């Protein structure tokens, strides 16, 4: 195929597209394209210390996930605290968003999409135009009208619901959420996607008819958050937290324990108490529930819930008609999940110093196929491995897009296996020595358990049929 | 269930969530929730002239799609040229994005995600910081560093590819795209999502090894655009266009002919010539190809393609290694699709004065079920229709989320059928008089053909099994 380009027929090559290699087999009816690693836009800098475009930043890469995401071609810096998400990171984020969408749908969430440009008037009404200080990105339009770039949307959503002038108690609870870009002018953006100035967040806003109903909604969302992190295989601690500029009367953070976390947590080892240190009297050293000695830990905040009461509904007049046909203010809650931050935090807590590990559900690609090196003794295994790739793609169409063929056959299997280990594909399928047996036997590396299985084609397909996707 | 709320058990109701009505049938294993129209956040103002929150704007609603989208609870104004997308609009947009993703994948597109905050330096390098004038939203961060909110990303993507310092001809063509929010400070935002200040756009940027290869990529993307609009059932004209501030040497617009369109097009009735009027000499009245008299039409621009050559790659030094190992500038193209604009433009060209019509593939919901009015002669048909709803959901799980039950049974079937017609569900299933026959017969309205079919349960399921989803 490369020959074509050299002999002046670039058109034929261009027609196939970058990562498309047409199958030359007889399966034309179900023809599909192979995903070739060499064609993916994922600039790899997997040598220790090598991070393209960040040579000057070495000192700032004090955080494992930031370094691994740069080395693995997942992100690329654009400006301080702003990153390009490269194709594998986009795939991972879209998988995470699908999981979150499912979790929100399960608790009756309805998805909306609110603008980033948020008028100053709106924020002045709630008093937060001043209160937020330099964290708000502010701008004026061509007519001099002031806006901020929404870091959160309590004002906007409350006004939206308030505009629904004949809202009835029958329509409550109302649980609106969105997954959009948010903006925060961090004084010191750092750690890549862990503390950036532009990021994706899932924010839900709930409206209930009574405090009791709102407290129930609050519990429901917290439970959904806990099961989401459980599905991701992430150990998450729900701690009591301060309400900050969002306000309200109760709040919890969802924290992934990690040394580089910016929050300090106070935990009861028996699990009876967990709080952000800001909520605890310094003198308190014993768990108020069981008396056990409290321990400290650091954590990365990946979610935050607030019971708001009528703080915003009273300002914007978000009211509903009661069964007695009287207007009453809605009881509100708001609930955030840091989408891009969860990607980085997962890598931070699951990876080793030099190898990325993903929650397997949201790994960008589930399987990597490694054919033998060109010119090696097993070279004739290449066709068998490619055939296996095609058979897997045909037998398991839902994995389409999730199986990569590492076609860098100028490299040894060992070197590519090392790269695959660093990139963290949940499964790696290798055409090693036993590929020449009859029937051919393939090596399958299960990265989560670190085990190797020797399987025939049927065995590989059966194993991969159990791969879960969101 | 409402009774529970009144007797002081709001918790039970809250547990079910807003749009969830647990099935009381014996199908618990596959239990799912019904989507109740009364619980959807879609504030309807379907009476002629009634648009909540826009009383003062009547004069500006000179455009059908804008009015219909407000009346149908699809969008709600936030600030001039900025709209909240309400749940049905989000569903429709996500379907459209799935279609676009598929079309881009088919031509080897790899999805990235670039920040909205784009540094002034970057735009000064290309000269567009000055050139774009007041259309750029500009702001400074807390350190006084200047940014704009990206209306398009030629500079950003070219710098990203340029940072890939060992890019080889083997990796070309490279076709990167994203679907993100864009910002443009329109002097006069109007017509709702047709000309807004914050909008979703799909933008692809391509990098090729030669002009010939780049021209082929250009054709490939244009063909993908044409088939996308064909799949949507939209008549789209590809016209020659000016390159404007984007630059480059060739450009086409994809236009949906419509009276309210802001572009004027010159067309050959036999299809041999099509151009934006800005490209044609006023004196030219005959088609240059066939001599036929040219006609004029108005159009809504929904896509735009540019052949850029090396305009940006030369500025940012986006180069690749040739087979001879020499560095050479990449030949670029850029390609936009107005995502939110396509939603509005589709409604504009397909709808009647008072009834929304969607490209059926991207209708927010595919089917609406209307049970009989409470207290009517056919009331016992309600259980049969609900059973049918559940059977459809069970037999066709991929339609989950696409079938709505209009539970406003205080209203007559006729009134709800009228609403359903205005909202434009592709199919409406009614429990009318013949629901009492044995076996029950349901009325199925096919909105695209305007026909009514009388079908048994099996017939309804068979008909709906043919519904296409992206």
């Amino acid at each position: 195929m490369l020959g074509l380009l050299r002999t002046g027929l670039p058109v034929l090559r261009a027609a196939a597209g970058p990562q498309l290699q047409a199958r030359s087999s007889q399966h034309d009816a179900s023809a599909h394209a192979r995903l070739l690693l060499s064609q993916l836009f994922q600039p790899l800098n997997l040598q220790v210390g090598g991070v393209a475009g960040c040579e000057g930043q070495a000192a700032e890469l004090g955080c494992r996930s930031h370094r691994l995401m740069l080395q693995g071609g997942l992100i690329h810096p654009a400006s301080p605290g702003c990153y390009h998400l490269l194709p594998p990171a986009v795939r991972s984020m879209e998988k995470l968003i699908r999981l979150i969408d499912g979790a929100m749908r399960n608790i009756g969430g309805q998805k909306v999409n609110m603008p980033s440009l948020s008028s100053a008037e709106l924020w002045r009404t709630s008093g937060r135009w001043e209160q937020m200080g330099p964290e708000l990105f502010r701008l004026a339009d061509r007519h001099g009208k002031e806006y901020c770039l929404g870091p959160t949307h309590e004002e906007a959503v409350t006004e939206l619901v308030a505009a629904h002038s004949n809202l009835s108690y029958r329509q409550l609870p109302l649980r609106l959420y969105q997954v959009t870009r948010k903006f925060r002018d961090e004084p010191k953006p750092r750690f890549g996607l862990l503390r950036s100035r532009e990021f994706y967040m899932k924010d839900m806003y709930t409206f209930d008819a009574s405090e009791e109903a709102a407290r129930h909604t609050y519990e429901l969302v917290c439970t959904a958050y806990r099961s989401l992190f459980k599905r991701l295989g992430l150990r998450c601690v729900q701690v009591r937290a301060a309400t900050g500029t969002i306000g309200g009367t109760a709040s919890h953070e969802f924290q992934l324990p990690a040394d580089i976390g910016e929050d300090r947590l106070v935990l009861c080892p028996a699990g009876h108490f967990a709080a952000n240190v800001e909520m605890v009297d310094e003198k308190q050293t014993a768990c108020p529930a069981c008396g056990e000695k409290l321990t400290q830990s650091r954590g990365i905040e990946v979610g935050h819930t607030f019971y708001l009461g009528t703080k915003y509904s009273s300002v914007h007049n978000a009211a509903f008609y009661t069964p007695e046909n009287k207007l009453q203010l809605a009881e509100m809650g708001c609930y955030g999940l840091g989408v891009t931050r969860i990607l980085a935090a997962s890598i931070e807590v699951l990876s080793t110093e030099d190898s990325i590990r993903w929650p397997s559900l949201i790994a960008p690609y589930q399987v990597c196929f490694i054919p033998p090196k060109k010119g090696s003794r097993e070279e004739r295994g290449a066709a068998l491995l490619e055939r296996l790739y095609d058979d897997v793609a045909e037998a398991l169409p839902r994995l389409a897009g999730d199986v990569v063929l590492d076609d860098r056959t100028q490299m040894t299997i060992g070197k590519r296996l090392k790269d695959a280990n660093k990139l963290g594909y949940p499964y790696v399928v290798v055409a090693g020595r036993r590929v020449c047996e009859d029937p051919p036997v393939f090596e399958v590396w299960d990265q989560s358990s670190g085990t190797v299985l020797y399987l025939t084609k049927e065995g590989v397909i059966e194993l991969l049929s159990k791969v879960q996707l969101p």
Side-chain angles (χ1 to χ4, degrees), chain A residues 166-386:
Chain A
N166 52 359
L167 190 69
S168 153
Y169 70 96
R170 290 191 188 88
Q171 289 167 277
L172 303 185
L174 185 59
R175 294 169 184 150
L176 303 177
Y177 81 101
Q178 60 176 353
V179 180
T180 56
R181 287 187 180 179
K182 305 293 191 292
F183 302 82
R184 196 167 294 165
D185 198 351
E186 291 286 349
K188 211 178 163 182
R190 58 175 181 162
F191 294 161
L193 301 189
L194 285 181
R195 184 161 293 279
S196 50
R197 300 204 294 173
E198 185 170 339
F199 50 94
Y200 276 82
M201 188 164 91
K202 185 286 299 178
D203 40 333
M204 178 180 253
Y205 305 90
T206 61
F207 299 81
D208 273 279
S210 68
E211 192 180 323
E212 191 187 354
R215 297 255 170 221
H216 176 73
T217 289
Y218 190 91
E219 282 310 316
L220 208 60
V221 180
C222 287
T223 305
Y225 280 13
R226 286 193 304 267
S227 27
L228 177 73
F229 290 111
K230 201 173 167 189
R231 277 196 77 186
L232 290 171
L234 296 170
R235 192 191 145 221
C236 183
V237 191
Q238 179 179 346
V239 306
R240 298 184 201 180
T243 53
T245 56
I246 303 269
T249 56
S251 175
H252 287 89
E253 288 165 353
F254 291 76
Q255 297 268 2
L256 301 189
D259 291 344
I260 62 113
E262 302 193 341
D263 290 291
R264 286 196 298 139
L265 318 177
V266 177
L267 307 172
C268 159
H272 297 119
F273 182 82
N276 192 305
V277 74
E278 67 196 4
M279 298 296 285
V280 181
D281 190 312
E282 268 182 42
K283 285 171 239 157
Q284 186 167 350
T285 56
C287 172
C290 67
E292 282 265 356
K293 190 163 179 252
L294 293 171
T295 60
Q296 285 219 6
S297 161
R298 290 195 160 267
I300 303 170
E301 181 196 336
V302 286
H304 206 149
T305 56
F306 298 86
Y307 178 74
L308 298 172
T310 56
K311 173 177 169 173
Y312 294 92
S313 55
S314 62
V315 170
H316 299 280
N317 201 25
F320 64 96
Y321 284 98
T322 65
E324 295 74 32
N325 218 27
K326 284 184 182 152
L327 274 172
Q328 188 175 311
L329 293 177
E331 294 279 331
M332 289 178 59
C334 73
Y335 310 88
L337 283 178
V339 175
T340 33
R341 188 183 282 179
I342 290 172
L343 295 186
S346 306
I347 291 178
E348 186 68 35
V349 301
L350 298 178
S351 304
T352 66
E353 258 328 295
D354 65 354
S355 299
I356 296 175
R357 286 298 173 269
W358 298 92
S360 58
L361 265 175
I362 61 168
Y365 306 99
Q366 290 292 329
V367 197
C368 178
F369 284 77
I370 303 183
K373 188 183 175 188
K374 207 181 289 178
S376 70
R377 222 171 15 179
E378 293 84 11
E379 192 178 357
R380 65 200 171 96
L384 292 167
L385 191 86
E386 287 179 8

